[in-house]
Amino acid sequence: MNKSSIIKSRQVINRSDYGTFMQPKDAVLEEIYLNQAMNNRTIMFVDEFDRETCYKAIYFLERIERQDDIDEIPMNERTPITIKINSYGGDVFHCYALISVIERLKDRGYAINTHTMGVAFSCGFLLAITGTHRTIARRGYLMCHQISSGVIGEIQRMEEEVDFTKEMWEASVDIIKKYTNITGKQLDHIKRSKVDWYMSAEESLKLGVTDEIV
């Protein structure tokens, strides 16, 4: 962090500050992500959920929080943070890590808003519903489905994997029931039928998955 410069009410950060694990795949896009996060308090999540993408989002969330603390901004005067989503999903464990940070910040008093730009499928769905105020583009779509996994080997190992996958599904159920009007019966139908539940913007509004179509 020794090369970063800090200006009151505006945050400037050197690319080297956010670690070698986030070397740019596309320099232009990475520059957009960086400027949006540190100058506009907007985090772009437009990739698969994996270690790099989730921890990049976590980094930016905690970097904004840290700068607010340094600037001694009262909690009720802190500008909301927005996460813009366009993702088909990915690794649920990294998704849970990101959601845990979002919930911690919300418990502290932050408004963490989410906006579905195009699609928020699978893990993207879980991220989208956790926002303080959740918006979706008029032609946006969300998709909810049960967790999947695969394992080969000894019977005991496979049984343990099945049990753990069930536990992870229940964790997702808890998140969905906490933030939406989707019922346990509807989620059980997804599990038994093995369906991908696609929701238009209008349907997501009726289900309490989003708060506003924009």
Side-chain angles (χ1 to χ4, degrees):
M1 298 291 181
N2 57 345
K3 294 183 180 179
S4 64
S5 59
I6 301 171
I7 303 176
K8 190 76 170 180
S9 300
R10 180 177 174 86
Q11 299 155 351
V12 180
I13 183 169
N14 188 288
R15 181 177 300 282
S16 62
D17 289 348
Y18 63 103
T20 56
F21 73 94
M22 285 186 289
Q23 292 302 314
K25 298 176 182 178
D26 184 303
V28 174
L29 283 178
E30 287 296 322
E31 197 64 34
I32 292 172
Y33 298 159
L34 181 63
N35 289 332
Q36 286 289 312
M38 304 316 300
N39 296 327
N40 299 327
R41 299 170 76 91
T42 298
I43 295 168
M44 309 294 290
F45 204 108
V46 295
D47 294 295
E48 180 180 350
F49 283 71
D50 59 23
R51 176 183 177 273
E52 178 180 329
T53 57
C54 288
Y55 282 91
K56 178 166 65 176
I58 289 171
Y59 169 84
F60 283 134
L61 285 169
E62 294 185 338
R63 180 66 179 81
I64 292 169
E65 176 191 26
R66 193 158 55 248
Q67 186 60 51
D68 286 346
D69 288 343
I70 291 171
D71 290 342
E72 298 182 345
I73 301 173
M75 185 57 65
N76 62 354
E77 296 180 12
R78 297 189 180 191
T79 303
I81 301 169
T82 299
I83 302 176
K84 291 188 175 182
I85 307 162
N86 191 32
S87 175
Y88 290 96
D91 191 304
V92 70
F93 298 107
H94 297 307
C95 177
Y96 287 164
L98 176 55
I99 289 174
S100 294
V101 172
I102 291 170
E103 291 182 324
R104 178 185 67 77
L105 291 173
K106 288 170 61 179
D107 288 344
R108 193 179 173 197
Y110 274 93
I112 311 291
N113 301 326
T114 55
H115 174 65
T116 300
M117 296 187 293
V119 297
F121 292 174
S122 190
C123 288
F125 175 85
L126 294 176
L127 175 59
I129 66 176
T130 61
T132 306
H133 184 70
R134 306 156 302 173
T135 59
I136 184 171
R138 63 187 63 189
R139 299 193 186 279
Y141 275 86
L142 299 105
M143 187 270 283
C144 176
H145 63 183
Q146 66 176 311
I147 292 173
S148 62
S149 68
V151 66
I152 59 174
E154 300 83 359
I155 292 176
Q156 181 63 35
R157 181 184 178 190
M158 290 190 289
E159 289 178 345
E160 290 172 355
E161 178 70 15
V162 169
D163 289 341
F164 188 64
T165 302
K166 289 179 179 178
E167 183 178 331
M168 291 300 97
W169 168 242
E170 289 305 318
S172 291
V173 167
D174 289 343
I175 293 170
I176 295 168
K177 291 171 69 174
K178 177 179 179 180
Y179 292 109
T180 75
N181 297 329
I182 296 174
T183 66
K185 184 176 181 180
Q186 289 171 310
L187 293 171
D188 187 58
H189 173 71
I190 291 176
K191 179 182 177 183
R192 288 185 289 103
S193 303
K194 297 179 287 186
V195 298
D196 293 336
W197 185 3
Y198 293 93
M199 306 172 196
S200 65
E202 291 79 8
E203 185 179 6
S204 71
L205 196 63
K206 294 176 183 177
L207 290 166
V209 170
T210 54
D211 301 306
E212 183 181 4
I213 300 173
V214 297

